[in-house]
Amino acid sequence: RAHGAGRVGLAVPVASPEAVEDLSREVEVVCGEVAERLWAIGQWYRDFTQVSDDEVVRLLSRAAPAERVAAPVAAADPPPRETEVEIEAGEIRLPGFLAWPAEGSGLVVFAHGSGSSRHSPRNRYVASVLGQAGLGTLLFDLLTPAEEQSRANVFDIGLLAGRLILATRWAGRQPGLEDAPIGYFGASTGAGAALWAAADPGEDVAAVVSRGGRQDLAGSRLAHVRTPTLLIVGGEDRAVLELNRMAQDQLGGESRLSIVPRATHLFEEPGTLPAAAELARDWFVEHMAPVAHARSGRSGSGAHRGSR
């Protein structure tokens, strides 16, 4: 998913019912034998020696229909190349992944939720969808491993927002990104940090998207947010949905609440994460592309910021 796969399948010869049920929430599972008593995988094989990668490739090629093997792959714009970076945040260094397309229309900085990191598969999937739309992405760890040990730090929205602002300023010093419009994508507690940072008078943020966000953690700063904000919430995430409705009433600028049917808090249900990613992509493109054109001198003075 992090590389842009629309569908992910898992094929295994044998598995327990619990494993099939759990994995089916994430991928399409094909299982040859569901074993009620699965003590050891090896007991299901006459020969349990490992198969080499070359042998796997050969067998898959032999099993594929000839017309599928020969069919050309449709050309597509290559995804932006991702590089590992180290962000200076005062006396500490925060690792991250930066992807910037040749003709980027803006950079989306990710603020992860509690207990998550730059390796978050959900956020990396969203980043891949944004990359295909010509947007750059920056995923980084807001806390060091030592800081993560304290739950107080995980919910210190002021601290997280401060790190987000430092990362934004770091990005603005990188070659080719000096004039790039900035967007924030926040998940869970990270959404509170994104809105806190967007409300900072020294920051110029073109758009914010929240997925299953805890905007309420931004408190009174919500009223100072003038950045166009999209709130994406799962239809089955009822507690967070109510919090988002109350937070939207406090936002000072343009906002929209989009509900993804059947989705719970982590958007684990089939099709729900792609739906959220597409909503985020469209919001960022709508609000960041005009800013990019304005800064390059191809249009007016800036992005339009309407009211709800």
Side-chain angles (χ1 to χ4, degrees), residues 108-187:
V108 178
V109 184
F110 281 67
H112 309 292
S114 58
S116 190
S117 72
R118 68 192 188 281
H119 296 292
S120 163
R122 293 177 181 83
N123 281 349
R124 289 181 67 80
Y125 171 75
V126 174
S128 72
V129 172
L130 301 183
Q132 292 169 2
L135 292 162
T137 55
L138 173 61
L139 296 88
F140 74 103
D141 294 350
L142 280 81
L143 298 171
T144 66
E147 290 172 335
E148 289 176 347
Q149 300 305 310
S150 170
R151 293 298 291 174
N153 289 332
V154 172
F155 286 91
D156 188 340
I157 303 303
L159 171 64
L160 302 181
R163 297 283 170 83
L164 187 56
I165 290 172
L166 289 173
T168 303
R169 295 174 181 173
W170 173 89
R173 297 192 297 269
Q174 306 312 301
L177 297 178
E178 298 91 340
D179 297 320
I182 296 295
Y184 288 156
F185 181 93

Side-chain angles (χ1 to χ4, degrees), residues 31-222:
C31 181
E33 180 77 22
V34 179
E36 292 293 340
R37 296 184 178 182
L38 185 66
W39 303 111
I41 297 294
Q43 74 184 64
W44 294 86
Y45 289 79
R46 291 192 181 95
D47 181 358
F48 196 48
T49 55
Q50 298 301 298
V51 182
S52 69
D53 290 346
D54 290 341
E55 180 71 359
V56 172
V57 171
R58 186 184 67 79
L59 292 170
L60 290 173
S61 299
R62 191 176 72 185
E67 62 271 15
R68 286 184 58 191
V69 174
V73 177
D77 292 334
R81 180 174 295 178
E82 183 180 80
T83 57
E84 292 193 32
V85 296
E86 197 172 66
I87 297 167
E88 300 174 6
E91 297 180 353
I92 66 171
R93 301 293 183 269
L94 301 170
F97 299 126
L98 173 66
W100 181 249
E103 296 293 333
S105 57
L107 177 71
V108 178
V109 184
F110 281 67
H112 309 292
S114 58
S116 190
S117 72
R118 68 192 188 281
H119 296 292
S120 163
R122 293 177 181 83
N123 281 349
R124 289 181 67 80
Y125 171 75
V126 174
S128 72
V129 172
L130 301 183
Q132 292 169 2
L135 292 162
T137 55
L138 173 61
L139 296 88
F140 74 103
D141 294 350
L142 280 81
L143 298 171
T144 66
E147 290 172 335
E148 289 176 347
Q149 300 305 310
S150 170
R151 293 298 291 174
N153 289 332
V154 172
F155 286 91
D156 188 340
I157 303 303
L159 171 64
L160 302 181
R163 297 283 170 83
L164 187 56
I165 290 172
L166 289 173
T168 303
R169 295 174 181 173
W170 173 89
R173 297 192 297 269
Q174 306 312 301
L177 297 178
E178 298 91 340
D179 297 320
I182 296 295
Y184 288 156
F185 181 93
S188 190
T189 53
L195 287 168
W196 182 297
D200 190 289
E203 299 305 301
D204 182 14
V205 183
V208 174
V209 172
S210 157
R211 175 183 63 79
R214 290 291 309 277
Q215 290 81 9
D216 55 296
L217 296 176
S220 61
R221 293 180 72 96
L222 290 173

Side-chain angles (χ1 to χ4, degrees), residues 234-257:
E236 299 302 316
D237 192 11
R238 293 182 175 86
V240 173
L241 177 56
E242 184 59 28
L243 289 173
N244 273 247
R245 284 177 171 144
M246 291 189 291
Q248 187 186 23
D249 290 337
Q250 301 176 54
L251 288 170
E254 174 190 356
S255 66
R256 181 185 304 164
L257 176 63

Side-chain angles (χ1 to χ4, degrees), residues 231-283:
L231 311 176
I232 304 173
V233 190
E236 299 302 316
D237 192 11
R238 293 182 175 86
V240 173
L241 177 56
E242 184 59 28
L243 289 173
N244 273 247
R245 284 177 171 144
M246 291 189 291
Q248 187 186 23
D249 290 337
Q250 301 176 54
L251 288 170
E254 174 190 356
S255 66
R256 181 185 304 164
L257 176 63
S258 293
I259 301 173
V260 178
R262 302 183 306 280
T264 53
H265 186 61
L266 295 179
F267 290 77
E268 297 174 306
E269 296 71 26
T272 58
L273 186 60
E278 291 170 7
L279 288 168
R281 175 200 63 199
D282 294 347
W283 187 263

